[in-house]
């Protein structure tokens, strides 16, 4: 095992690794305080918290695949008439945020462990990569199918990008808060930088071998704070000739909602349109769904 840079070990970090002989790259993440901070902005019932925690862990994995520092990854699950009609998470430059819109009364009828289908019905999952430096945008949409969000994301990569992908996520709710651990492994036969993709070819022996190793990870291992991310990856792939571990990305909870941001957006509306939005005090009230905060904006 060769180690370059400083591997990350603690919570709220994403660790990068590659298996050069197997043309595979990976990400591993553990979320702790950042997850609690995001969840604390809302009073979500347990199943919604659980789903959002999973989605945030996946968003951190996918977001750190972006090489563009100013790029943004958005994960959005949506449906017309589901108990949850919208889940949005995004990642930009180490910052994570997310929220869920749901029907509380209908959710309560589902019991403590609702399936993905019972929450979303016939929903879809959209994953968007915005490249900040060039303004390019890639979006793929797949049906929200399978047992979990992780499975739906695996399908996204297979169908939209022809990249065989394995994603495992575990979430734990304890008295001291919520933690999440997640692992991603992808097969890139032309290397990490390659643009050409493998055609859908699931019987590739190299990929089969490493995906079985990665798939053997348990929920306990994903969540165990005594097992740092580097040791976790090493445990999975210790028989491989080379595992390269790269420096981790520290995650923070971030949002772009400021008075200036909303003033800028509102100033692009015509004065007559703004007048219709104003309350009796001449202010426009704007909500940030990510933070559950309200801003009163005045435009001279
Ligand atoms: Zn906000």
């Amino acid at each position: 095992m060769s180690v370059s840079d400083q591997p990350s070990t603690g919570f709220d970090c994403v660790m990068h690794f590659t298996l050069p002989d197997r043309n595979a790259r990976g990400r591993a993440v553990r979320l702790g305080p950042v997850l609690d901070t995001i969840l604390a902005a809302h009073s979500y019932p347990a199943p919604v918290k659980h789903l959002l925690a999973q989605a945030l862990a996946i968003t951190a994995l996918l977001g750190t695949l972006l090489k563009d520092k100013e790029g943004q990854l958005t994960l959005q699950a949506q449906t017309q008439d589901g108990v949850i009609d919208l889940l949005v998470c995004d990642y930009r430059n180490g910052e994570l945020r997310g929220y869920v819109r749901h029907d509380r009364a209908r959710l309560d009828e589902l019991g403590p462990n609702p399936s993905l289908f019972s929450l979303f019905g016939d929903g879809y999952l959209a994953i968007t990569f915005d490249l900040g430096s060039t303004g390019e945008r890639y979006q793929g949409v797949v049906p929200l199918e399978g047992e979990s969000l992780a499975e739906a994301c695996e399908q996204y990569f297979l169908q939209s990008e022809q990249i065989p992908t394995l994603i495992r996520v575990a979430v734990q709710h304890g008295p001291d808060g919520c933690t999440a651990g997640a692992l991603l492994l992808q097969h890139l036969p032309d290397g990490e930088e390659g643009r050409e993709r493998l055609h859908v070819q699931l019987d590739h022996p190299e990929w089969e071998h490493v995906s079985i190793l990665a798939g053997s990870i348990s929920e306990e291992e994903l969540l165990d704070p005594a097992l740092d991310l580097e040791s976790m990856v090493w445990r999975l792939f210790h028989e491989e000739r080379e595992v390269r571990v790269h420096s981790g990305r520290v995650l923070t909870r971030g949002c772009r909602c400021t008075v200036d941001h909303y003033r800028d957006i509102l100033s692009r509306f015509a004065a007559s349109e703004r007048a219709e939005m104003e309350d009796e005090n001449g202010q426009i009230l704007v909500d940030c769904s990510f933070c559950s905060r309200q801003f009163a904006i005045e435009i001279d």
Side-chain angles (χ1 to χ4, degrees), residues 3-278:
V3 174
S4 56
D5 303 320
Q6 283 294 306
S8 63
T9 52
F11 281 101
D12 301 331
C13 265
V14 181
M15 197 195 74
H16 300 201
F17 64 94
T18 53
L19 305 168
D21 297 345
R22 306 292 188 179
N23 297 311
R25 70 170 171 185
R27 300 286 184 267
V29 67
R30 279 225 183 89
L31 293 176
V34 162
L35 187 53
D36 282 326
T37 309
I38 294 172
L39 296 175
H42 313 276
S43 52
Y44 293 143
V48 174
K49 271 189 193 175
H50 193 80
L51 188 76
L52 183 57
Q54 290 179 332
L56 288 163
I58 294 170
T59 301
L61 295 174
L62 304 190
T64 51
L65 295 174
L66 281 164
K67 289 184 182 64
D68 189 334
K69 239 188 153 191
E70 294 304 308
Q72 176 170 313
L73 176 280
T74 308
L75 183 148
Q76 186 165 329
Q78 203 165 351
T79 182
Q80 288 291 325
D81 53 2
V83 174
I84 290 178
D85 72 327
L86 181 66
L87 175 152
V88 185
C89 295
D90 66 36
Y91 168 97
R92 191 168 73 177
N93 201 12
E95 289 186 347
L96 266 184
R97 59 179 188 168
Y99 74 94
V100 178
R101 217 165 55 197
H102 65 286
D103 183 328
R104 181 68 197 254
R106 285 173 63 200
L107 181 76
D108 288 345
E109 290 168 15
L110 296 177
N113 294 304
S115 67
L116 193 69
F117 183 77
S118 68
L119 290 173
F120 285 98
D122 292 319
Y124 66 85
L125 175 73
I127 294 181
T128 311
F129 290 91
D130 282 295
L131 305 184
S133 52
T134 61
E136 283 172 280
R137 164 179 269 222
Y138 302 97
Q139 188 181 57
V141 180
V142 290
L144 199 51
E145 291 172 348
E147 296 292 311
S148 63
L149 270 182
E151 256 184 58
C153 288
E154 289 174 349
Q155 280 308 307
Y156 160 80
F157 279 106
L158 200 55
Q159 290 177 23
S160 296
E161 306 208 18
Q162 287 81 52
I163 302 176
T165 301
L166 177 136
I167 299 174
R168 293 286 181 274
V169 186
V171 172
Q172 192 171 46
H173 306 271
D176 299 326
C178 185
T179 54
L183 176 77
L184 170 141
L185 191 73
Q186 291 193 317
H187 189 34
L188 296 179
D190 297 307
E192 177 119 9
E193 306 297 330
R195 290 301 308 158
E196 283 179 63
R197 301 301 189 203
L198 182 75
H199 293 292
V200 182
Q201 190 182 352
L202 285 170
D203 58 346
H204 203 288
E206 249 175 16
W207 169 246
E208 210 167 277
H209 175 73
V210 288
S211 63
I212 287 171
L213 295 179
S216 72
I217 195 157
S218 67
E219 295 211 342
E220 289 71 24
E221 287 171 307
L222 284 169
L223 292 166
D224 182 1
L227 180 67
D228 62 68
L229 293 175
E230 187 188 336
S231 304
M232 183 179 90
V233 167
W234 174 234
R235 190 185 277 189
L236 288 174
F237 303 111
H238 65 277
E239 287 180 359
E240 294 300 301
R241 194 184 64 81
E242 188 181 14
V243 181
R244 286 188 201 157
V245 174
H246 305 275
S247 62
R249 186 77 175 85
V250 175
L251 300 168
T252 56
R253 191 264 171 210
C255 198
R256 269 84 83 187
C257 59
T258 59
V259 169
D260 285 346
H261 173 70
Y262 289 124
R263 192 177 282 142
D264 180 49
I265 291 175
L266 289 169
S267 66
R268 294 178 215 158
F269 285 85
S272 58
E273 287 177 294
R274 281 204 304 269
E276 282 178 32
M277 299 181 214
E278 284 174 6

